[in-house]
Amino acid sequence: MTRCTITDFVLLLSTGVAAISPPTASETLKHNSSAVLWTDCSTTYGPGFTCANYSVPVDWRNPSSEHVVLGMNRYQSNATSRNGGKKNLFVNYGGPGIITTQTLPLTLIGFSDEITSKFDLIALDPRGIGSSSPIQCDVDLWNERISLFPKTERDFTRLVHHNKAFGRSCLEKSGKLLYHMDTKSVARDFEAIRIALGDEPINVLGLSYGSQIAYQYAQLFPHNIRTLVGDGILDHSESETSLLASETQTYEDSFNRFAAWAGTSNESALIGQDVVLLVHQLVSQANHSPIPVGSGPGHFDDITGDELLFNLQDLLISKTAGIGPGWPAVSQILALAATGNGTGLTTLAPAAVKGDVQGNSVLFGGLAVNCADWTHHSTKVADLLYKQQLTENWAPHTRGHVQSYTAQTRCVGWPAAVVNPPWHQIEVHTETPILLVQSLHDPECSYTWAVNVQAQIPSSTLLTLNGDGHTSYFTEGETTGAMNAYLVDGTVPAPNTVLES
Ligand SMILES: *[C@@H]1O[C@H](CO)[C@@H](O)[C@H](O)[C@H]1NC(C)=O
Ligand SMILES: *[C@@H]1O[C@H](CO)[C@@H](O)[C@H](O)[C@H]1NC(C)=O
Ligand SMILES: *[C@@H]1O[C@H](CO)[C@@H](O)[C@H](O)[C@H]1NC(C)=O
Ligand SMILES: *[C@@H]1O[C@H](CO)[C@@H](O)[C@H](O)[C@H]1NC(C)=O
Ligand SMILES: *[C@@H]1O[C@H](CO)[C@@H](O)[C@H](O)[C@H]1NC(C)=O
């Protein structure tokens, strides 16, 4: 399964040189292309939307193998382009696991006329997610709350047994697709759709994990690109430890900035309070006796301190209300929690819901992608205790309650192999300029990752937003303008450009 990667690895070792063209430098998809047949779905998604399904091989190295059906939708505005025909712009919101087809209609307002008059927006659900043959697993097993912070060998064994049983249930319910959830397969799916839509060079706006889809596409198909934007950069060349350390630090930085703001701003419900201390007390209390949140679908009836810290990372993704609730709302949620009511802390809490196959695939499919893309080497409790020690020392408030830690614990014992492991060097051999965008204070994607990815992609430029928040496209400031200018006519900002909005 890891044939190509292992070959690259051997080449690297045998020469000791990093700048080697891997065999996967440029691929031609072996696929009998058929046209995409769009049907009206404006009643589901709103005016201007059409939908389609498209079949691709589950295993791209064996194209006559069984197929997986990919679902997508497309938004076409009535605004006309000054220079003739519209191009396609593939949008991805990351996760992994976010349902693109459902998110595009919700974020349409963030796409200016400048963009929608020149592009049809294409939302392709990545394989295994949403309308693309969603990964299914045992809901009850997922909803067993198990600590991701084992302290003893026995705790660790229990965690691994749980992961194995859950993974087996996914394999039983989802079949072979579970073995091919990696991002290289996703990039090949994008290529199949690009060809089927008329073989024009691709345009991609990849947010967060979507940035990895974008540059892994460029890695495989360097000659088929018109524009690629990565916004909120995930670095798929990090070791487990460095990924965890840098994500931990960037969350801690955002938390500290939020706490300083919340204690002093008159927009904050916590003005005048020691917010660091308040959160610290909430977390330790909730770890003894979880805070009730009221019952409802998609979350548990209460929340533990560890869950609170994991969720707070997501709650902090935007300073003003938009893609997240915004800092003022987060301060209200925490103030309410301090009174013993955890409502709002669970907006993004991870309970699965019986019968909600698409919704559950956000959780299940997202995990399957992480387990296919990232190593998770822990074999004993000591391995996780080292990580806990590292993050508790580097980030005394948020203590490593980050997405990469979730993957590094939940994937131990996973039944599918890591078919797309992080590579020491992201090899992208394209002449086409690529635009990377990163805010300096992002609770999820570290600025370290953006600098590191930029350093590895010779034709890329990194644009910096001097501000807070995870991804920048929907902030609708100068940074959005620069991204739009690049998408429209290829204008790339000067290296080291830092924008204030
Ligand atoms: C493509 O179609 C040809 C002719 O129908 C067939 O022989 C071939 O096996 C197909 N290839 C794939 C990859 O499905
Ligand atoms: C474009 O115009 C057609 C015909 O009037 C209408 O059905 C469609 O909903 C419009 N699309 C949008 C995005 O408003
Ligand atoms: C795609 O396939 C699904 C599942 O079979 C079906 O419910 C849906 O209507 C199809 N969508 C389109 C646009 O054909
Ligand atoms: C909050 O403070 C700012 C100045 O720091 C002031 O302009 C604003 O009126 C204040 N708002 C409220 C609601 O007190
Ligand atoms: C918790 O707060 C929410 C939102 O203000 C409210 O609707 C709910 O009734 C409260 N729950 C309890 C048990 O007070």
Side-chain angles (χ1 to χ4, degrees), residues 192-390:
I193 305 296
R194 181 194 68 80
I195 294 168
L197 291 177
D199 210 359
E200 299 296 328
I202 203 165
N203 300 286
V204 182
L205 172 60
L207 277 65
S208 188
Y209 157 75
S211 66
Q212 186 192 334
I213 300 178
Y215 63 72
Q216 290 222 265
Y217 177 91
Q219 200 168 13
L220 295 173
F221 309 105
H223 308 303
N224 305 346
I225 302 165
R226 182 181 165 278
T227 53
L228 280 187
V229 183
D231 174 15
I233 307 300
L234 176 57
D235 178 7
H236 193 237
S237 68
E238 300 268 339
S239 72
E240 264 179 66
T241 314
S242 64
L243 189 81
L244 174 63
S246 42
E247 189 182 353
T248 293
Q249 277 197 316
T250 203
Y251 176 22
E252 185 83 351
D253 165 58
S254 289
F255 174 78
N256 285 332
R257 289 171 66 84
F258 165 76
W261 172 90
T264 53
S265 165
N266 61 8
E267 288 174 72
S268 164
L270 300 171
I271 186 166
Q273 300 198 44
D274 181 340
V275 178
V276 167
L277 184 67
L278 178 131
V279 171
H280 188 79
Q281 285 170 346
L282 267 180
V283 168
S284 47
Q285 278 162 18
N287 271 338
H288 280 111
S289 138
I291 307 172
V293 298
S295 53
H299 63 80
F300 303 116
D301 293 351
D302 54 27
I303 186 163
T304 67
D306 287 328
E307 290 166 351
L308 188 160
L309 280 178
F310 279 119
N311 285 352
L312 188 56
Q313 188 190 20
D314 266 333
L315 289 171
L316 293 178
I317 63 172
S318 64
K319 186 168 184 176
T320 53
I323 58 167
W327 289 5
V330 175
S331 72
Q332 287 168 12
I333 290 169
L334 290 172
L336 187 63
T339 72
N341 181 340
T343 301
L345 281 174
T346 51
T347 349
L348 303 145
V353 180
K354 283 227 163 75
D356 183 5
V357 173
Q358 287 208 23
N360 292 342
S361 73
V362 175
L363 308 168
F364 305 162
L367 179 64
V369 173
N370 278 326
C371 298
D373 275 4
W374 296 97
T375 57
H376 33 85
H377 285 310
S378 300
T379 57
K380 55 189 183 306
V381 73
D383 299 334
L384 290 183
L385 289 174
Y386 287 133
K387 289 180 178 178
Q388 292 171 38
Q389 191 143 300
L390 168 74

Side-chain angles (χ1 to χ4, degrees), residues 58-317:
V58 167
D59 177 2
W60 275 110
R61 282 173 299 109
N62 183 9
S64 55
S65 66
E66 45 183 273
H67 279 58
V68 58
V69 176
L70 302 176
M72 63 192 120
N73 61 20
R74 175 181 65 175
Y75 174 74
Q76 296 179 295
S77 89
N78 283 333
T80 45
S81 167
R82 270 182 293 119
N83 34 354
K86 289 190 192 176
K87 299 176 168 69
N88 294 312
L89 172 59
F90 288 73
V91 182
N92 182 281
Y93 300 89
I98 293 178
I99 302 179
T100 322
T101 52
Q102 292 178 6
T103 309
L104 176 61
L106 301 176
T107 58
L108 264 189
I109 189 157
F111 292 91
S112 66
D113 286 351
E114 187 191 14
I115 291 298
T116 57
S117 66
K118 298 198 172 66
F119 295 97
D120 291 342
L121 306 180
I122 309 286
L124 167 64
D125 282 338
R127 49 174 52 211
I129 289 152
S131 61
S132 292
S133 310
I135 292 289
Q136 298 184 54
C137 309
D138 189 288
V139 167
D140 293 326
L141 277 173
W142 175 273
N143 287 344
E144 275 177 19
R145 287 154 89 181
I146 184 144
S147 172
L148 302 182
F149 299 89
K151 301 291 181 206
T152 64
E153 213 59 70
R154 210 163 141 232
D155 295 345
F156 180 79
T157 306
R158 196 182 310 130
L159 174 65
V160 176
H161 281 169
H162 175 268
N163 292 347
K164 280 186 176 161
F166 177 70
R168 249 193 329 269
S169 81
C170 306
L171 207 47
E172 277 159 19
K173 291 175 189 289
S174 310
K176 270 201 187 127
L177 177 56
L178 200 72
Y179 295 128
H180 303 282
M181 286 294 290
D182 61 288
T183 302
K184 271 191 178 170
S185 296
V186 173
R188 292 178 179 115
D189 296 342
F190 271 60
E191 175 66 351
I193 305 296
R194 181 194 68 80
I195 294 168
L197 291 177
D199 210 359
E200 299 296 328
I202 203 165
N203 300 286
V204 182
L205 172 60
L207 277 65
S208 188
Y209 157 75
S211 66
Q212 186 192 334
I213 300 178
Y215 63 72
Q216 290 222 265
Y217 177 91
Q219 200 168 13
L220 295 173
F221 309 105
H223 308 303
N224 305 346
I225 302 165
R226 182 181 165 278
T227 53
L228 280 187
V229 183
D231 174 15
I233 307 300
L234 176 57
D235 178 7
H236 193 237
S237 68
E238 300 268 339
S239 72
E240 264 179 66
T241 314
S242 64
L243 189 81
L244 174 63
S246 42
E247 189 182 353
T248 293
Q249 277 197 316
T250 203
Y251 176 22
E252 185 83 351
D253 165 58
S254 289
F255 174 78
N256 285 332
R257 289 171 66 84
F258 165 76
W261 172 90
T264 53
S265 165
N266 61 8
E267 288 174 72
S268 164
L270 300 171
I271 186 166
Q273 300 198 44
D274 181 340
V275 178
V276 167
L277 184 67
L278 178 131
V279 171
H280 188 79
Q281 285 170 346
L282 267 180
V283 168
S284 47
Q285 278 162 18
N287 271 338
H288 280 111
S289 138
I291 307 172
V293 298
S295 53
H299 63 80
F300 303 116
D301 293 351
D302 54 27
I303 186 163
T304 67
D306 287 328
E307 290 166 351
L308 188 160
L309 280 178
F310 279 119
N311 285 352
L312 188 56
Q313 188 190 20
D314 266 333
L315 289 171
L316 293 178
I317 63 172

